[in-house]
Amino acid sequence: MTAISEMQNLLQEDDPAAIYYVEPPWVVYFRNDVTGIFINPVNIGTYNYWAMSRM
Amino acid sequence: MIEKDLLRERVDRRTLIKGAGAAGIAGMVATPTTGMAAPGATSGVRLRAQSDPATLVVAAAGSPSDLDPHSSYDYQSVMAILGAYEGLIGLKGDSTTELEGIIAESWESNEDFSTWTFKIRPGITFQDGSPVDAEAVRLNYERFLTLGLGPVAVLSRFVSDPARITAPDESTVVFDLGSPQPIFPLAIASTYGPLIVNAKLLREHEEDGDWGHYWAQTNAEGTGSGPYRITNFEPGQILEMERFDDYWRGWDGNHFDKVIVRVVSETETRRQLLEQGEADIVDALNVEAYDALVDNPDITIQSQFVTRNQYFAMTVAGPLETPEARQAMNFAWPWTDVLEGVYGGRSRQPRGPVPPEIRGHDENTLLYTTDLERARTLLEAAGVEEGTQLTLAMQTGLDQPKAAAELFQQNLAQLGIDLTIDVIDLSTYTSLVYGDAGPDERPNLMWWGWWPDYNDAWNHLYPQVSCDAQDRPARICGLYATIGYRSCSTPPRMRRMTKRT
């Protein structure tokens, strides 16, 4: 078991630090005439404005 | 810096800790279904004339708080300033691992990944017209490391001495990391910290050796390296950007001339503005708004699992001092009822602290089930008797976590445990979380959430579990300190792991 796996096991099961209770999706709502929007799972909540446009 | 922002921001862990001593802490977020925002934020106003197609309007639940990329550490600030600043490289599209050149046109390492060389794209200028050359990039990182504010650990994990970053010619920047670091490019691609600012210009605004940081928190004239100039910033209200004509990618094709980020605190108002075409983009809506918009032919909804999770941290003290007691809490949690009843079946049960989207996630980590009998047995083993009282705390505005906590409260009642739910105003709550109160003085459970700066499990876990930063303020000493292993008393086993990882 790698150290990272061991830490996850420790935090979740052996010596729980928390109740990790939900992983909600990120949701973005936008007008249909706007293009160039995507969700990056790491860069949450950001937009590439230059690559966006209105149809 | 942190505390004043707390008073006018929705809860955002990055905002909480930025500038608190550079612990390298990643992204704490409020649930996006809340809608807390800056006091005095816009409500029910017209944002954009529908006849202005060249303007993009983002209706944001909370305000950008800091325009300085080297200190800003909340997503709402970064959401705004990414229009004005760019990094050397970035993640490509929606990929979490594939990189693309931005200010750097190429990059490579030596054989053992200990030295990384970036070639700067020719002809790029800052928004004051001065060149974004290798020396400007080097000076940028010297500023970032010297300031040592919120997101600095994104870079300082790999290189902390500015002298190890050199510019041997006008297009080459070299990072001598001193040891093999194959994931270094992921960190350089982070939107938290390593963006390129006009450090030379900022020094003209320097006060008391701050590299112009105080000025850059609310100003950006000439300092940007990206496509839009920030032309107006009224914290808590609005941020406006206009296109920078000399942006290196150019303006051929269809682009927005202007971007407005307007703070609209009320969830319902943001939804209405989107429906009416007064806003183009919103996030942080609730389940009811989702249901109202999902069939609207004028609206597109994008939904994706990301690298964040939310949790109730447990104080390692009192009734929850033993692992058995905290395991019992997990078995008493109403997993299915929360996921289906509270989150509408659109969220996911975590398998531990690292979401699957993060490199290093262990899919073999335990997935809890609700098992009240097992919880009862564990509580008995822990010596937690019926009639025990527990307290759970969260800040105001978290409707879904509160509903989940109420279901948890019902389950605990079946075990003879009396759970009190305290909903506390934002500033009091955050003061409690990051304050010096010992574990016996804290609530037994506290709501929190997290995401990493870049795609790496260690980056995700380090600030939550490590107490390496022993000389730093207790509030940034990691989750274990936050929840009760105070004064950096991380469990020895965890301490050993954090040092060798």
Side-chain angles (χ1 to χ4, degrees):
Chain A
M1 176 181 280
T2 66
I4 285 292
S5 291
E6 193 176 349
M7 290 170 67
Q8 291 171 66
N9 183 61
L10 180 65
L11 289 163
Q12 173 77 342
E13 183 176 3
D14 288 358
D15 192 2
I19 303 170
Y20 297 97
Y21 76 97
V22 71
E23 290 167 355
W26 190 265
V27 185
V28 178
Y29 308 78
F30 55 95
R31 300 287 301 179
N32 280 347
D33 61 350
V34 176
T35 64
I37 296 176
F38 57 84
I39 297 171
N40 185 292
V42 174
N43 298 335
I44 299 170
T46 63
Y47 306 103
N48 182 348
Y49 299 112
W50 180 85
M52 295 166 62
S53 61
R54 194 182 305 282
M55 290 186 289
Chain B
M1 166 103 191
I2 295 169
E3 287 73 12
K4 76 178 183 187
D5 287 337
L6 287 177
L7 299 178
R8 55 188 172 84
E9 291 294 326
R10 68 192 290 242
V11 168
D12 185 310
R13 191 190 56 79
R14 292 181 193 274
T15 302
L16 302 182
I17 59 89
K18 70 191 172 75
I25 299 178
M28 169 67 186
V29 296
T31 170
T33 59
T34 59
M36 300 168 59
T42 303
S43 173
V45 298
R46 291 180 65 83
L47 301 182
R48 174 178 65 86
Q50 292 184 345
S51 60
D52 183 11
T55 296
L56 176 76
V57 176
V58 180
S63 174
S65 62
D66 180 359
L67 302 185
D68 188 340
H70 293 168
S71 58
S72 59
Y73 210 22
D74 59 286
Y75 91 86
Q76 284 157 329
S77 292
V78 170
M79 176 185 71
I81 66 177
L82 277 179
Y85 296 95
E86 293 186 327
L88 289 181
I89 58 179
L91 290 172
K92 189 172 184 179
D94 60 3
S95 173
T96 61
T97 55
E98 190 178 358
L99 299 167
E100 63 180 356
I102 305 177
I103 287 175
E105 61 181 355
S106 65
W107 63 99
E108 62 182 7
S109 72
N110 62 352
E111 192 169 331
D112 73 351
F113 306 103
S114 63
T115 299
W116 286 87
T117 301
F118 292 77
K119 284 292 184 182
I120 307 304
R121 197 180 298 275
I124 301 180
T125 65
F126 289 111
Q127 292 172 2
D128 70 342
S130 60
V132 182
D133 56 17
E135 172 55 23
V137 171
R138 187 207 63 77
L139 189 65
N140 167 79
Y141 287 120
E142 180 181 349
R143 179 183 189 268
F144 183 32
L145 289 170
T146 304
L147 280 176
L149 297 174
V152 71
V154 172
L155 184 61
S156 64
R157 171 185 176 184
F158 303 96
V159 55
S160 57
D161 181 359
R164 302 191 78 138
I165 305 171
T166 56
D169 60 53
E170 67 178 17
S171 65
T172 305
V173 177
V174 179
F175 294 79
D176 176 8
L177 307 180
S179 62
Q181 300 288 357
I183 68 167
F184 180 63
L186 288 178
I188 284 292
S190 173
T191 56
Y192 290 96
L195 302 176
I196 306 299
V197 308
N198 189 344
K200 184 178 180 182
L201 176 63
L202 283 167
R203 285 201 120 169
E204 296 177 11
H205 299 280
E206 186 168 279
E207 294 179 24
D208 300 326
D210 76 343
W211 289 76
H213 167 61
Y214 179 79
W215 182 86
Q217 288 179 281
T218 52
N219 297 278
E221 185 178 355
T223 64
S225 54
Y228 290 89
R229 298 179 298 110
I230 295 175
T231 55
N232 180 39
F233 177 44
E234 300 169 35
Q237 299 290 331
I238 192 170
L239 181 140
E240 296 177 274
M241 295 184 278
E242 296 180 6
R243 79 179 201 180
F244 170 49
D245 289 337
D246 294 330
Y247 177 56
W248 64 273
R249 281 186 168 109
W251 295 98
D252 291 341
N254 194 7
H255 304 276
F256 288 108
D257 291 336
K258 187 171 182 177
V259 176
I260 296 174
V261 178
R262 173 73 79 169
V263 182
V264 182
S265 57
E266 297 85 0
T267 302
E268 180 66 12
T269 305
R270 287 197 305 283
R271 177 175 75 85
Q272 291 173 357
L273 291 170
L274 182 68
E275 290 174 320
Q276 295 161 5
E278 302 292 333
D280 294 305
I281 307 173
V282 303
D283 59 18
L285 296 182
N286 54 26
V287 171
E288 291 72 26
Y290 182 100
D291 291 339
L293 292 171
V294 71
D295 294 324
N296 187 324
D298 298 324
I299 306 299
T300 296
I301 300 176
Q302 280 190 8
S303 175
Q304 182 167 329
F305 286 112
V306 293
T307 53
R308 67 173 175 152
N309 58 6
Q310 296 175 8
Y311 50 86
F312 288 95
M314 292 184 280
T315 302
V316 185
L320 300 186
E321 183 161 10
T322 66
E324 289 80 5
R326 283 174 272 120
Q327 290 162 353
M329 294 297 105
N330 273 286
F331 282 112
W333 184 262
W335 295 101
T336 302
D337 290 344
V338 168
L339 292 170
E340 297 299 324
V342 176
Y343 288 90
R346 290 192 284 268
S347 292
R348 190 171 60 191
Q349 179 178 348
R351 195 180 277 276
V354 179
E357 285 72 19
I358 299 176
R359 180 178 160 275
H361 164 78
D362 187 343
E363 63 182 13
N364 296 313
T365 307
L366 175 66
L367 193 68
Y368 280 101
T369 56
T370 305
D371 186 340
L372 294 186
E373 287 312 306
R374 189 162 181 185
R376 191 188 307 277
T377 300
L378 286 164
L379 288 172
E380 288 173 359
V384 179
E385 298 177 348
E386 289 196 16
T388 295
Q389 296 190 340
L390 299 176
T391 301
L392 178 151
M394 66 178 68
Q395 78 274 5
T396 54
L398 300 179
D399 296 339
Q400 289 172 313
K402 183 169 183 291
E406 289 169 348
L407 293 171
F408 181 48
Q409 184 182 45
Q410 294 172 18
N411 277 10
L412 288 180
Q414 296 182 51
L415 298 171
I417 304 297
D418 180 14
L419 178 70
T420 299
I421 300 172
D422 283 345
V423 179
I424 305 169
D425 73 87
L426 177 58
S427 60
T428 303
Y429 184 70
T430 48
S431 296
L432 177 63
V433 170
Y434 285 107
D436 293 329
D440 291 321
E441 304 168 86
R442 291 171 176 267
N444 305 101
L445 298 107
M446 301 179 77
W447 183 88
W448 214 236
W450 210 264
W451 77 62
D453 303 306
Y454 50 93
N455 186 4
D456 178 59
W458 177 235
N459 174 265
H460 183 66
L461 288 177
Y462 170 85
Q464 301 183 72
V465 302
S466 172
C467 288
D468 288 349
Q470 299 251 353
D471 58 345
R472 291 176 176 147
R475 65 174 179 267
I476 57 167
C477 203
L479 177 62
Y480 271 108
T482 299
I483 66 175
Y485 286 129
R486 72 180 302 208
S487 302
C488 296
S489 58
T490 303
R493 184 178 165 200
M494 182 65 75
R495 198 177 309 143
R496 286 196 301 274
M497 284 190 290
T498 58
K499 286 187 181 303
R500 67 185 165 92
T501 304

